[in-house]
Amino acid sequence: MAIAVKPFDGSPGAEISGVDLSRPVDPGTKEQLARALAEHLALVFHDQTLTPAGYLAAATVFGPPMRQHYSQHNMTDHPDIGLIWHRDGQQPAERWHTDHTNREKPPAATILYGVEIPSHGGDTSVADMRAAYAMLPETERARLRSLRTVNTLDDHHRDDTRSEDREKFGKPVVHPMVRTHPVHGTPAVYFHITKTAYIEGMTPRDSRAYLTDLLERMIRPEIVYTHRWRKGDVLVIDDRATMHRAHGDYDRSESRILWRIIVEGDRPVLI
Ligand SMILES: [Fe+2]
């Protein structure tokens, strides 16, 4: 397979060409893609045609798929694929976040496949939290390095969480607010604003105010890639050094269906 990695101009991310994800990916290509993800933080593959089983096989390029905690949205026959679809009652995740921080080992990557795409809007944005960290003043970087978040399943706003999911995934998990990337050792700011119940040593209210303020200051246009979906796109996001958000600015009478897979990662550490 001759693959090409074309970094985007003026934003994180890269477009990958020469890869058909419906076919087995050889070990050399797999290695190249894993490195490209760690380096560019978001990878885009266009014009893919995938079955659920083929999509799961392709996802293993980036790691073994792991179960997503709102199991009511997972595909019945392929429960490691979650459906992102407003018509089953979901709200677009419009706040900046990284996925599943309530897990001891949160995902290394989130993979999205565009199955039905509205004619306008519904983009997905990805922010480089490595660049965000680097742009903060050193006093604040030092402060962040000393802080840890306590993460829980943030399901108080929803009434459809299954009790077995709450049982399995509802226990508090502590993570550093700056994590070292396991591939290249770069530090990145790491938190999920609504899954953070509080920052250790701070009240929930002060924690939320600080995280909100941090996001406002850190996420500037120059560190953001906004993906405008086309049917058949696969977007891979490095969850270890980015945050992402959905744009809810599309007509709800149109369908927007993304298939989501998350793949296993390491326990976040700051070295
Ligand atoms: Fe997400």
Side-chain angles (χ1 to χ4, degrees):
M1 242 182 230
I3 82 162
V5 179
K6 189 177 157 209
F8 296 133
D9 239 357
S11 83
E15 182 185 328
I16 306 292
S17 54
V19 180
D20 177 355
L21 293 171
S22 70
R23 303 176 61 82
V25 175
D26 63 77
T29 305
K30 199 168 159 169
E31 173 69 25
Q32 209 179 339
L33 291 174
R35 283 187 176 281
L37 179 64
E39 184 180 342
H40 300 291
L41 305 178
L43 302 181
V44 175
F45 302 75
H46 292 298
D47 304 317
Q48 303 293 318
T49 305
L50 299 167
T51 60
Y55 183 36
L56 282 162
T60 62
V61 165
F62 301 100
M66 61 188 268
R67 193 57 52 90
Q68 300 172 46
H69 48 227
Y70 294 128
S71 64
Q72 71 273 28
H73 301 310
N74 295 345
M75 260 185 205
T76 317
D77 298 340
H78 298 89
D80 282 334
I81 300 179
L83 286 176
I84 295 176
W85 189 36
H86 67 265
R87 289 195 180 134
D88 66 0
Q90 298 177 59
Q91 296 296 327
E94 294 205 76
R95 302 187 73 162
W96 288 105
H97 67 282
T98 179
D99 285 340
H100 284 55
T101 57
N102 56 310
R103 306 288 272 274
E104 273 191 24
K105 292 181 173 178
T110 293
I111 308 171
L112 300 168
Y113 174 46
V115 177
E116 289 186 34
I117 304 301
S119 52
H120 298 285
D123 299 350
T124 299
S125 286
V126 181
D128 176 351
M129 300 314 291
R130 188 167 72 171
Y133 178 76
M135 288 189 306
L136 288 170
E138 174 49 27
T139 44
E140 190 155 29
R141 289 203 294 258
R143 181 183 186 204
L144 286 181
R145 287 196 297 271
S146 73
L147 296 176
R148 301 196 305 168
T149 56
V150 179
N151 296 264
T152 57
L153 195 63
D154 58 336
D155 69 331
H156 19 266
H157 58 288
R158 42 206 312 163
D159 51 16
D160 60 347
T161 305
R162 292 179 173 158
S163 53
E164 70 259 31
D165 292 334
R166 198 171 288 132
E167 189 104 328
K168 268 189 279 184
F169 306 122
K171 295 170 198 73
V173 172
V174 176
H175 291 308
M177 275 193 71
V178 179
R179 70 178 290 188
T180 305
H181 199 289
V183 175
H184 42 58
T186 317
V189 180
Y190 185 76
F191 63 84
H192 185 309
I193 188 163
T194 57
K195 284 196 167 59
T196 298
Y198 59 93
I199 296 169
E200 283 181 337
M202 289 171 71
T203 63
R205 195 194 169 95
D206 289 352
S207 304
R208 180 61 65 93
Y210 181 49
L211 297 182
T212 304
D213 173 57
L214 258 179
L215 288 176
E216 272 169 24
R217 285 185 288 122
M218 286 189 307
I219 300 188
R220 305 181 195 173
E222 61 267 31
I223 66 163
V224 174
Y225 165 63
T226 295
H227 184 67
R228 181 152 298 168
W229 286 97
R230 274 168 27 191
K231 184 178 161 66
D233 284 350
V234 170
L235 171 65
V236 186
I237 301 168
D238 188 327
D239 287 330
R240 302 162 294 191
T242 62
M243 290 192 193
H244 59 271
R245 63 176 288 249
H247 294 253
D249 59 342
Y250 59 95
D251 180 350
R252 295 299 192 279
S253 70
E254 294 189 58
S255 202
R256 179 183 187 267
I257 300 179
L258 305 180
W259 291 355
R260 177 171 77 167
I261 297 176
I262 55 175
V263 297
E264 287 178 13
D266 303 308
R267 183 154 198 164
V269 287
L270 172 62
I271 298 167

